[in-house]
Amino acid sequence: MKNTSITFKESKQRNEKITMLTAYDYSTAKVIDEAGINGILVGDSLGMVCLGYEDTLSVTMEDMIHHSRAVAKGTKNALVVTDMPFMSYQASVYDAVINAGRLIKEGRAQAVKLEGGKEVAESVRAIVNASIPVMGHIGLTPQSVNAFGGFKVQGKSEETAKKLLEDAKAVEEAGAFAVVLECVPAKLTKLISSQLSIPTIGIGAGVHCDGQILVYQDMLGLFSDFTPKFVKKYSNVGEVMKNAFKSYDQEVKDGVFPAEIHSFKIDEDVIEKLY
Ligand code: KIV
């Protein structure tokens, strides 16, 4: 069944958990889609896990469009949500609508995600008014890493917890169909999830969210720079790949690969005439 912003909202009403993973290319999107995951986020985490940047701030609209288009091509049933990169929506509501439109038209996303609470509510409303579904993102919003002074858990004090609750409600009231809660204490997530009618999608936000999302390289053990506390490694694909690369290296050097079955044939009389 095709997942949409509407089916996401219906899942919450039916008390059914939503699953999401990130993807940045055609082949990975296809595997994730075939596994039955409900949604794929073309995250701006692309900057860190694919392009090797130390944060997400340098990711451009062109990067997001390029990867979003590849993911959309590999996806049949999952809802494709694409991140609006840093400074594609912060300067004005006009920028926000134009750039959200580009991610839909050129990137073939079905929805966009942007970071922030009350301060982006007007932009969320304007994008939704342009018939583009919006996913919110509050808590640890990586595009604000410099303002936060690092990647830190958010909402631990009474004041910041109250702000997160207000931000979640502001994003919902502005028309978002779902909201990501990143690095938020589990008990606060429970409260926020119970007070919203739209689904909460957690990453480092405990079990009480209506859905979960992980960066696929993290859960597959493919990104070795650091592993956040909230990540569960479901496999060690990095090791599997390294072993395969080592075997290939050895076999080429030993003359074992390519074998006859990997080679193409030519008639003997043709080749003899060339000697
Ligand atoms: O960019 C990303 O991958 C994200 C997830 C961590 C939610 O925003």
Side-chain angles (χ1 to χ4, degrees), residues 114-189:
L114 54 91
E115 299 181 5
K118 279 183 194 165
E119 68 282 10
V120 295
E122 205 188 332
S123 294
V124 171
R125 192 168 289 111
I127 299 170
V128 172
N129 282 342
S131 301
I132 299 171
V134 174
M135 179 175 272
H137 182 162
I138 61 169
L140 170 52
T141 45
Q143 292 175 17
S144 304
V145 60
N146 290 322
F148 289 151
F151 295 106
K152 296 175 184 161
V153 177
Q154 301 295 308
K156 288 185 91 162
S157 68
E158 186 183 337
E159 190 193 347
T160 56
K162 190 163 170 272
K163 182 176 176 338
L164 274 188
L165 183 57
E166 287 168 2
D167 280 342
K169 287 181 180 171
V171 167
E172 169 170 44
E173 274 160 26
F177 72 93
V179 60
V180 169
L181 305 183
E182 180 166 353
C183 290
V184 173
K187 284 187 179 163
L188 177 57
T189 293

Side-chain angles (χ1 to χ4, degrees), residues 22 24 41 43-45 83 113 137 180 182 203 213 215:
T22 63
Y24 317 92
L41 172 70
D44 60 355
S45 48
D83 260 344
K113 175 166 82 57
H137 182 162
V180 169
E182 180 166 353
I203 175 160
I213 181 163
V215 170

Side-chain angles (χ1 to χ4, degrees), residues 3-270:
N3 290 271
T4 66
S5 58
I6 307 295
T7 62
F8 267 44
K9 288 205 260 190
E10 288 168 352
S11 294
K12 172 150 182 155
Q13 285 154 14
R14 283 200 297 267
N15 227 355
E16 283 167 13
K17 294 272 189 188
I18 298 163
T19 51
M20 290 190 76
L21 286 170
T22 63
Y24 317 92
D25 68 88
Y26 171 81
S27 308
T28 311
K30 216 168 159 197
V31 176
I32 292 174
D33 191 65
E34 285 166 6
I37 298 295
N38 300 119
I40 297 182
L41 172 70
V42 188
D44 60 355
S45 48
L46 147 78
M48 298 170 82
V49 295
C50 296
L51 306 177
Y53 304 156
E54 66 186 35
D55 53 41
T56 60
L57 302 179
S58 303
V59 175
T60 65
M61 277 296 295
E62 271 57 43
D63 292 332
M64 296 312 300
I65 289 168
H66 182 72
H67 289 269
S68 181
R69 200 185 297 137
V71 167
K73 270 193 176 280
T75 307
K76 274 203 188 116
N77 294 320
L79 172 69
V80 177
V81 183
T82 299
D83 260 344
M84 300 196 67
F86 182 54
M87 291 318 292
S88 68
Y89 59 94
Q90 285 90 343
S92 71
V93 173
Y94 177 84
D95 277 358
V97 177
I98 295 292
N99 286 320
R102 287 192 68 198
L103 294 177
I104 305 292
K105 269 178 96 102
E106 298 170 54
R108 302 302 303 171
Q110 294 160 276
V112 299
K113 175 166 82 57
L114 54 91
E115 299 181 5
K118 279 183 194 165
E119 68 282 10
V120 295
E122 205 188 332
S123 294
V124 171
R125 192 168 289 111
I127 299 170
V128 172
N129 282 342
S131 301
I132 299 171
V134 174
M135 179 175 272
H137 182 162
I138 61 169
L140 170 52
T141 45
Q143 292 175 17
S144 304
V145 60
N146 290 322
F148 289 151
F151 295 106
K152 296 175 184 161
V153 177
Q154 301 295 308
K156 288 185 91 162
S157 68
E158 186 183 337
E159 190 193 347
T160 56
K162 190 163 170 272
K163 182 176 176 338
L164 274 188
L165 183 57
E166 287 168 2
D167 280 342
K169 287 181 180 171
V171 167
E172 169 170 44
E173 274 160 26
F177 72 93
V179 60
V180 169
L181 305 183
E182 180 166 353
C183 290
V184 173
K187 284 187 179 163
L188 177 57
T189 293
K190 187 176 181 187
L191 178 69
I192 295 174
S193 300
S194 71
Q195 297 210 357
L196 295 188
S197 63
I198 58 170
T200 55
I201 310 292
I203 175 160
V207 76
H208 303 295
C209 285
D210 303 300
Q212 296 291 330
I213 181 163
L214 284 173
V215 170
Y216 91 85
Q217 285 90 340
D218 285 341
M219 58 94 77
L220 290 186
L222 260 175
F223 182 69
S224 55
D225 290 4
F226 60 89
T227 306
K229 169 186 157 77
F230 56 77
V231 169
K232 177 171 175 181
K233 277 195 189 169
Y234 283 83
S235 187
N236 203 343
V237 174
E239 268 315 295
V240 173
M241 286 171 75
K242 205 185 290 173
N243 288 335
F245 297 152
K246 280 184 182 167
S247 302
Y248 165 73
D249 181 69
Q250 197 58 52
E251 288 197 356
V252 170
K253 286 170 182 162
D254 291 347
V256 172
F257 176 82
E260 218 174 309
I261 53 160
H262 308 116
S263 308
F264 300 102
K265 293 190 181 355
I266 185 170
D267 285 343
E268 274 310 309
D269 52 342
V270 175

